[in-house]
Amino acid sequence: MDKEKIRNFSIIAHIDHGKSTLADRILELTGAVSKREMKDQLLDSMDLERERGITIKLNAVKLNYKGYTINLIDTPGHVDFSYEVSRSLAACEGAILVVDASQGIEAQTLANLYLALDNDLKIIPVINKIDLPNANIPKVKQELIDVLGFREEEIILCSAKTGEGVQDILDAVIERIPSPLNLEKEKTRALIFDSYYDAYRGVVLLVKVVEGKIKVGSNIKMMATGSTYLVTELGVKTPKEELVSELKSGEVGFISASIKDISTINVGDTITTTDNEANLPLEGYKEMKPMVFSGLFPTEPNKFDDLREAIEKLKLNDAALKYEPETSEALGFGFRVGFLGLLHMDVIMSRLEREFNLNIIATSPSVVYHIYLTDGTSLIIDSPNKMPDQVKINYIEEPYILTNIISPSEYIGSIMELCQNKRGIYKSVDYLDPTRVNIHYEIPLSEIVYDFYDKLKSYTKGYASFDYELIGYKVSNLVKMDILLNGEVIDALSIIVHKDFAYSKGKSIVTKLQKLIPRQMFQIPIQASIGSKIIARENISALRKNVLAKCYGGDVSRKKKLLEAQKEGKKKMKMVGSVEVPQEAFLAILSEE
Amino acid sequence: MATSVYIHIPFCKKICSYCDFCKFIYNEKWVGAYLTALRNEIKDRYMDEEINTLYIGGGTPSSLSISELKRLFNILKLFHYSPNIEFTFECNIEDINSDLLTILKEGGVNRLSIGIESFNKNNLAFMERNADFKDAKMKMKLCRNLGFNNINLDLMYALPNEKMADLKKDLNYILKLNPEHISTYSLILEPHTKAYINETSYASEELDYKMYLYICKTLDNANHYELSNFAIPGYESKHNLVYWNNEEYYGFGLGASGYIDGIRYTNTRSFKKYLLGDVVKEKELVNKTEQMKYEVILGLRKLKGINKKDFQKKYNISIHEAFDLKKLIKNKDLIEKKEYIYINPDKLYVMNEILARII
């Protein structure tokens, strides 16, 4: 294949701006999928998109258009995952930026665009959904010009729904996006941008060959881990799998090499071949650092190994997932897992539950703190339980973010109030046009981790979109707050809070726990403390009555069923000391209401 | 092999607001047909064992007319009674008169279970029942005179808006009637009852519990032998102990349940099906594991608890091997003393919490 005739590109967009529909339309137009099949595909991917992201089906599709090979590399999963977008973009030379003609630029439009620019990609701006009655093409066009700096003639109008303009987009892909560099004679280097586990083939790698080539029978080496494997199968997806004998520089495809040991594979790693071995791995793929950490514990202690296996499998196509074993006095053996954000945590939690059938308790998420001690040394902690004694601490720094909150201007007041309540520092308000603003605040990341996003949505009736970037660490007056149940500190419930907010937070947590923890056979005091000082207290009064008053011959079977149901209910609880605590109590600390 | 029999008479003159037993308003035509079907069921299933306990319950068995009762007792001749059979008949206090009592006596009844439930006006209005202390006293006397010396009275408490003082009065009245046995229940709102549909609310748990404690304390001369049952020693209900000892028993009649040859069965509640002989609605074959669960659920209702040796003999495994009781014993939820394991009397009123941890 002539390198000049290859194009690698992605589609990036804010959620619901029409990315998937456009991808489907492109598949149809290039004849990769017939119109009849298309419908099936659409239905499938809708379900899948919800369950596990579109990743599996549409990850890297090889298409033919006007004599060119174009590889559409999907930005998998939810667009909120900027890291996912970033790793797909690393395999591209260009990207289509889709903006909804009725919505205009949203927070993730910006975030994704910046990522694409970081990867040095050629951007093709597209205004989608021009067929909608409330489309405002001139306004959105003006935003693209004013806010993002595109030229008017660059912008393509389309309706992915009707197909209008899709051909123009494909033409622009060929004309504007550069071909991959011809580096076939160099040392072999290929980027792993995704992977998944196949029950028959083991780990399957999705790669873009950047330099050199890989053949069936090649010995490949993972540069980060040093493991080597014999390639048994190479292929491309069209979107059906099609086997090939080699992948050359510029090409995108999948490799299977009977890889059973999941731990040797890192998404973002570079593959080389032993007969043409490179010395240095590829650059340009930034390792994403998790920002939010939480302890994940199986509700049933004997499920620890199942949890380990599940997390390992998830990590295969989720390079951002970091984990290490953790032990909690209250919850037993589990893992401290690092996530990129709360949504990421949410997705992992529900995948563990749905795909692996595990009942998980997650402890309240923590960010990474920098602790400076009085003796001049410092340490980095990702869990409240690693916090040293207060007297040894000189000061603590916590991560701050800068917000992009794009919203109709009428909500400025409530958004500012929300940011203020979250310890935000006002920076600026930019007007995108007379009715829409981008509000910038510096806010501690730990405040976002709680219920910021939900609150923002409710304060603005769902109109605001939100994104952020990490801007570094600032000194904060922070303390560790413990929660005591029945007089015992429950390590899994400890959190780090700002001193000024400690009292109200402590009070709201104990009140909430009082409601969430069912009454038991004895009275349970719930306390919040800082050091040895109790700052809030509630009691759960003892259960007085839980009995079947009457039980004679006719009632026996039914009463047994009732008791068995009660027993099932208990399974969803965790014994913490002598207290039965429901799963949701561990996350109670998350939201304030 | 079962040596106990329960017979259900599903007729009442009036329906109480809280009752979820299988019952119909009394109707002469139906009773005739019912007794015929009942006779057929007994003939079909009874295996000629000698019967130690017989219990006629309802519904309201005392709602039947004298001639119907005569017919019923005729049917009961199908059974072989053991010489010291305990034969209980449930009566509504309003139905008691010398004719009724005579016929019961002739039929071999030697224990009466009389539903009084309360003398309090508000309670009675809620329950849609009648009772009057003077009348009750007179009727008890009649029972005594006709030779009934084993009588149970039912008392309900924790009814909506009931106060502690109301219970104290009720219990006092009941004691003045000198029964050999008292069954007490706090109100349970079961679906498909008038009280439930009317969205009746329970008394507060705290009050309910205090009332229970008061009853236990007041009746501390009696043998508190089961969660809700008190008796002068020697007058414990043998029939009901069969249930709590997880022993087998026949259940005959509409909606009745039985436990025969390792199978727990429940009869249909459909009158029509029953008359047509389509009697059994559900069957559960109880394997050993389930049998042991029943043993615990039922056995721990008795204050004496479960006899460890008997358990071992019955199931060929010790109760400690069958269930993990260590923690509960350590917590003093259960008490292990000599040959018995029982629920700590202080925790009897939250026994579901304990049972759910065992099974």
Side-chain angles (χ1 to χ4, degrees):
Chain A
M1 166 61 60
D2 181 359
K3 290 290 150 322
E4 293 300 316
K5 298 235 161 179
I6 295 180
R7 298 291 181 267
N8 297 316
F9 75 104
S10 279
I11 307 174
I12 54 181
H14 188 79
I15 186 162
D16 284 341
H17 280 203
K19 181 171 75 88
S20 304
T21 317
L22 180 59
D24 286 344
R25 201 61 61 236
I26 288 173
L27 293 191
E28 197 184 294
L29 195 78
T30 54
V33 179
S34 75
K35 205 153 200 159
R36 196 180 53 79
E37 285 174 311
M38 193 65 240
K39 280 187 184 131
D40 298 336
Q41 179 109 21
L42 248 180
L43 292 177
D44 278 350
S45 62
M46 292 245 203
D47 270 339
L48 278 172
E49 182 111 49
R50 228 168 264 134
E51 300 280 344
R52 41 205 301 189
I54 200 165
T55 318
I56 300 99
K57 281 216 156 177
L58 258 182
N59 213 312
V61 191
K62 183 182 171 189
L63 308 165
N64 294 308
Y65 183 71
K66 295 192 175 169
Y68 286 77
T69 294
I70 58 177
N71 291 308
L72 167 56
I73 298 166
D74 195 37
T75 49
H78 196 288
V79 278
D80 274 10
F81 293 117
S82 56
Y83 75 103
E84 294 245 17
V85 180
S86 120
R87 77 178 199 233
S88 298
L89 296 183
C92 301
E93 281 78 38
I96 299 171
L97 175 71
V98 179
V99 179
D100 186 317
S102 66
Q103 307 284 326
I105 295 169
E106 297 284 4
Q108 276 133 26
T109 316
L110 291 176
N112 290 337
L113 176 65
Y114 296 150
L115 278 174
L117 293 174
D118 281 351
N119 280 288
D120 217 7
L121 303 193
K122 176 68 191 171
I123 310 291
I124 301 170
V126 167
I127 298 177
N128 188 24
K129 305 195 190 180
I130 55 170
D131 58 308
L132 285 184
N134 58 340
N136 190 339
I137 298 165
K139 186 181 163 205
V140 175
K141 219 180 220 180
Q142 205 55 44
E143 277 187 6
L144 286 171
I145 295 166
D146 292 347
V147 181
L148 305 181
F150 290 107
R151 281 172 286 119
E152 184 168 4
E153 60 275 17
E154 282 183 279
I155 301 168
I156 300 173
L157 304 181
C158 100
S159 163
K161 198 172 140 203
T162 64
E164 186 184 349
V166 177
Q167 194 130 15
D168 298 339
I169 296 172
L170 285 173
D171 290 340
V173 166
I174 292 171
E175 284 156 25
R176 297 188 209 168
I177 296 176
S179 55
L181 293 172
N182 189 350
L183 297 166
E184 209 170 300
K185 301 211 165 57
E186 305 284 323
K187 303 281 185 195
T188 306
R189 294 202 291 181
L191 174 74
I192 307 176
F193 64 89
D194 207 348
S195 61
Y196 58 88
Y197 196 85
D198 180 298
Y200 301 105
R201 297 189 286 193
V203 181
V204 177
L205 308 170
L206 289 161
V207 300
K208 177 191 177 189
V209 181
V210 181
E211 299 161 4
K213 60 178 150 190
I214 298 174
K215 293 182 194 168
V216 174
S218 295
N219 268 307
I220 52 169
K221 182 174 175 182
M222 309 295 138
M223 294 190 75
T225 59
S227 328
T228 58
Y229 296 99
L230 183 71
V231 175
T232 54
E233 233 176 51
L234 289 174
V236 293
K237 298 191 177 186
T238 69
K240 287 183 199 103
E241 283 186 1
E242 211 168 84
L243 297 183
V244 297
S245 57
E246 60 176 21
L247 286 173
K248 289 182 290 193
S249 90
E251 293 185 328
V252 170
F254 65 85
I255 299 178
S256 84
S258 307
I259 303 168
K260 298 289 177 210
D261 184 359
I262 293 170
S263 63
T264 60
I265 305 303
N266 292 323
V267 170
D269 194 4
T270 299
I271 297 176
T272 188
T273 47
T274 49
D275 61 348
N276 189 22
E277 191 167 335
N279 297 320
L280 288 171
L282 291 164
E283 283 177 31
Y285 185 85
K286 260 192 288 178
E287 197 186 341
M288 301 307 285
K289 284 212 175 83
M291 297 202 277
V292 176
F293 289 80
S294 168
L296 300 191
F297 297 85
T299 33
E300 295 153 84
N302 59 357
K303 290 288 169 81
F304 174 76
D305 287 328
D306 296 357
L307 177 59
R308 181 208 304 277
E309 201 175 301
I311 295 179
E312 278 173 358
K313 282 191 177 156
L314 287 181
K315 187 176 163 57
L316 263 186
N317 61 0
D318 197 338
L321 200 62
K322 294 278 184 307
Y323 63 94
E324 59 181 54
E326 181 178 56
T327 316
S328 152
E329 276 171 37
L331 302 176
F333 293 106
F335 293 96
R336 190 85 192 152
V337 184
F339 305 95
L340 291 152
L342 260 206
L343 182 63
H344 186 205
M345 176 171 161
D346 234 38
V347 168
I348 296 295
M349 289 280 294
S350 58
R351 288 188 70 179
L352 286 173
E353 279 174 10
R354 286 195 216 173
E355 292 172 34
F356 298 93
N357 215 2
L358 290 165
N359 266 330
I360 302 289
I361 289 176
T363 61
S364 111
S366 164
V367 301
V368 176
Y369 296 95
H370 293 171
I371 316 270
Y372 296 86
L373 301 175
T374 46
D375 64 5
T377 61
S378 67
L379 68 151
I380 292 172
I381 63 162
D382 60 22
S383 159
N385 296 308
K386 296 176 185 162
M387 182 106 138
D389 201 338
Q390 200 72 29
V391 294
K392 291 185 184 157
I393 298 172
N394 187 5
Y395 62 95
I396 304 174
E397 286 181 348
E398 66 175 325
Y400 268 70
I401 54 134
L402 179 68
T403 65
N404 275 319
I405 301 169
I406 295 183
S407 163
S409 50
E410 61 197 279
Y411 300 115
I412 291 181
S414 23
I415 293 172
M416 286 173 94
E417 188 194 324
L418 172 65
C419 292
Q420 224 77 42
N421 287 339
K422 298 288 183 187
R423 297 194 279 135
I425 304 161
Y426 172 77
K427 286 289 147 185
S428 64
V429 172
D430 301 341
Y431 277 83
L432 302 180
D433 64 43
T435 62
R436 295 211 315 149
V437 289
N438 187 355
I439 302 170
H440 303 293
Y441 261 85
E442 288 179 6
I443 300 181
L445 175 63
S446 64
E447 298 286 346
I448 302 296
V449 162
Y450 295 115
D451 53 357
F452 183 83
Y453 193 61
D454 291 340
K455 280 216 164 126
L456 180 68
K457 285 281 171 201
S458 73
Y459 277 43
T460 62
K461 302 195 174 105
Y463 279 110
S465 64
F466 167 66
D467 211 313
Y468 60 85
E469 56 181 303
L470 205 59
I471 51 165
Y473 277 73
K474 286 176 194 268
V475 177
S476 276
N477 191 2
L478 301 169
V479 289
K480 178 186 173 198
M481 182 165 79
D482 291 320
I483 303 294
L484 295 84
L485 282 184
N486 211 15
E488 282 174 59
V489 173
I490 306 304
D491 56 2
L493 291 172
S494 298
I495 55 168
I496 292 171
V497 287
H498 192 274
K499 211 170 176 182
D500 296 347
F501 291 74
Y503 179 77
S504 62
K505 192 115 199 166
K507 196 151 179 52
S508 96
I509 289 171
V510 297
T511 313
K512 197 153 3 150
L513 288 175
Q514 187 205 21
K515 286 187 191 125
L516 282 171
I517 299 176
R519 288 184 308 151
Q520 295 172 32
M521 287 193 280
F522 43 89
Q523 176 182 296
I524 306 163
I526 310 171
Q527 296 157 301
S529 78
I530 292 172
S532 56
K533 193 181 163 204
I534 303 294
I535 58 165
R537 173 180 176 138
E538 292 286 348
N539 285 328
I540 300 172
S541 58
L543 186 67
R544 284 306 192 198
K545 183 190 177 192
N546 189 351
V547 70
L548 309 165
K550 249 180 154 169
C551 187
Y552 295 103
D555 309 309
V556 178
S557 304
R558 192 160 60 104
K559 303 271 147 122
K560 177 163 154 272
K561 278 181 198 143
L562 281 175
L563 285 166
E564 279 167 346
Q566 198 167 332
K567 174 187 162 194
E568 280 308 301
K570 287 199 182 298
K571 272 195 190 158
K572 296 203 170 118
M573 310 262 228
K574 191 87 191 176
M575 268 317 252
V576 176
S578 49
V579 183
E580 281 177 336
V581 183
Q583 274 165 280
E584 57 271 27
F586 293 94
L587 278 173
I589 294 175
L590 269 179
S591 62
E592 274 165 17
E593 270 82 56
Chain B
M1 262 287 277
T3 58
S4 287
V5 172
Y6 174 82
I7 290 175
H8 193 72
I9 304 296
F11 301 101
C12 296
K13 286 187 182 143
K14 257 182 5 193
I15 305 292
C16 305
S17 66
Y18 56 87
C19 176
D20 82 323
F21 285 108
C22 180
K23 76 274 163 183
F24 299 90
I25 290 284
Y26 173 85
N27 174 316
E28 217 179 274
K29 272 187 220 156
W30 289 9
V31 175
Y34 181 73
L35 291 177
T36 306
L38 180 67
R39 182 168 197 277
N40 291 338
E41 192 200 350
I42 294 170
K43 276 179 80 174
D44 274 0
R45 294 174 48 191
Y46 172 52
M47 299 297 286
D48 291 333
E49 299 96 328
E50 192 176 81
I51 299 303
N52 291 326
T53 75
L54 174 56
Y55 195 107
I56 315 284
T60 317
S62 61
S63 68
L64 300 194
S65 69
I66 297 297
S67 61
E68 286 157 355
L69 285 171
K70 277 186 180 157
R71 202 176 151 210
L72 174 66
F73 284 114
N74 248 327
I75 293 168
L76 297 182
K77 287 182 182 156
L78 289 169
F79 295 111
H80 306 294
Y81 293 174
S82 120
N84 41 20
I85 187 172
E86 177 195 274
F87 184 174
T88 309
F89 193 92
E90 281 186 350
C91 305
N92 197 341
I93 188 83
E94 290 178 283
D95 296 330
I96 292 179
N97 57 45
S98 52
D99 290 349
L100 172 78
L101 293 175
T102 309
I103 236 182
L104 297 185
K105 195 78 199 172
E106 280 170 7
V109 173
N110 54 23
R111 184 174 183 268
L112 298 176
S113 179
I114 303 174
I116 289 181
E117 316 303 349
S118 176
F119 290 109
N120 177 281
K121 267 189 195 155
N122 293 331
N123 286 350
L124 290 168
F126 163 75
M127 294 189 282
E128 301 183 32
R129 292 182 62 91
N130 291 315
D132 174 80
F133 178 65
K134 266 190 198 159
D135 177 63
K137 209 175 156 188
M138 197 256 293
K139 282 174 175 166
M140 281 294 278
K141 208 171 161 189
L142 192 61
C143 295
R144 298 301 188 196
N145 288 344
L146 285 169
F148 289 98
N149 58 10
N150 186 355
I151 299 178
N152 167 63
L153 298 181
D154 281 349
L155 167 71
M156 283 183 74
Y157 64 95
L159 293 157
N161 304 316
E162 185 179 3
K163 307 218 166 27
M164 190 61 154
D166 301 333
L167 170 72
K168 286 183 180 178
K169 257 191 211 163
D170 262 351
L171 192 57
N172 219 356
Y173 278 135
I174 294 280
L175 284 173
K176 277 191 177 165
L177 296 174
N178 283 317
E180 282 72 27
H181 190 286
I182 298 176
S183 295
T184 64
Y185 314 104
S186 70
L187 175 69
I188 306 174
L189 294 168
E190 304 277 11
H192 315 298
T193 61
K194 192 170 170 185
Y196 183 91
I197 291 160
N198 288 344
E199 297 181 5
T200 307
S201 51
Y202 280 113
S204 85
E205 241 183 71
E206 196 63 39
L207 179 62
D208 189 326
Y209 177 60
K210 278 188 183 151
M211 286 178 165
Y212 181 70
L213 289 184
Y214 176 80
I215 293 167
C216 295
K217 204 184 94 200
T218 311
L219 302 183
D220 72 345
N221 278 334
N223 179 16
H224 183 188
Y225 70 105
E226 192 258 1
L227 182 86
S228 305
N229 286 281
F230 301 81
I232 293 175
Y235 288 89
E236 296 82 6
S237 163
K238 287 183 200 159
H239 183 82
N240 289 337
L241 278 165
V242 166
Y243 302 140
W244 303 321
N245 289 330
N246 195 27
E247 287 162 16
E248 298 198 340
Y249 56 95
Y250 285 105
F252 295 111
L254 195 66
S257 295
Y259 180 28
I260 298 290
D261 297 334
I263 294 171
R264 285 194 179 272
Y265 65 89
T266 302
N267 284 355
T268 179
R269 281 187 162 217
S270 154
F271 205 88
K272 193 173 158 196
K273 280 188 182 167
Y274 187 77
L275 293 190
L276 292 171
D278 182 5
V279 173
V280 176
K281 188 180 149 226
E282 277 171 42
K283 276 188 184 177
E284 178 199 1
L285 177 63
V286 189
N287 62 29
K288 188 175 150 190
T289 315
E290 299 303 305
Q291 276 179 35
M292 291 192 295
K293 282 190 197 173
Y294 278 117
E295 188 84 20
V296 165
I297 292 171
L298 296 164
L300 290 178
R301 296 184 69 83
K302 297 175 292 176
L303 275 84
K304 205 170 166 190
I306 294 169
N307 183 305
K308 288 185 286 180
K309 268 190 191 160
D310 290 350
F311 189 98
Q312 167 90 41
K313 223 198 255 164
K314 201 163 170 184
Y315 301 107
N316 266 323
I317 178 176
S318 86
I319 191 166
H320 285 290
E321 285 171 90
F323 300 101
D324 185 6
L325 307 175
K326 264 185 251 123
K327 222 171 159 185
L328 293 163
I329 290 171
K330 199 181 145 226
N331 270 347
K332 297 206 168 66
D333 296 330
L334 290 180
I335 295 174
E336 185 170 23
K337 214 171 181 180
K338 292 183 188 159
E339 278 316 307
Y340 286 90
I341 288 183
Y342 56 94
I343 290 185
N344 181 342
D346 293 341
K347 300 186 181 183
L348 213 50
Y349 223 49
V350 289
M351 70 181 288
N352 283 1
E353 282 288 313
I354 298 167
L355 294 178
R357 283 187 176 82
I358 300 176
I359 60 169

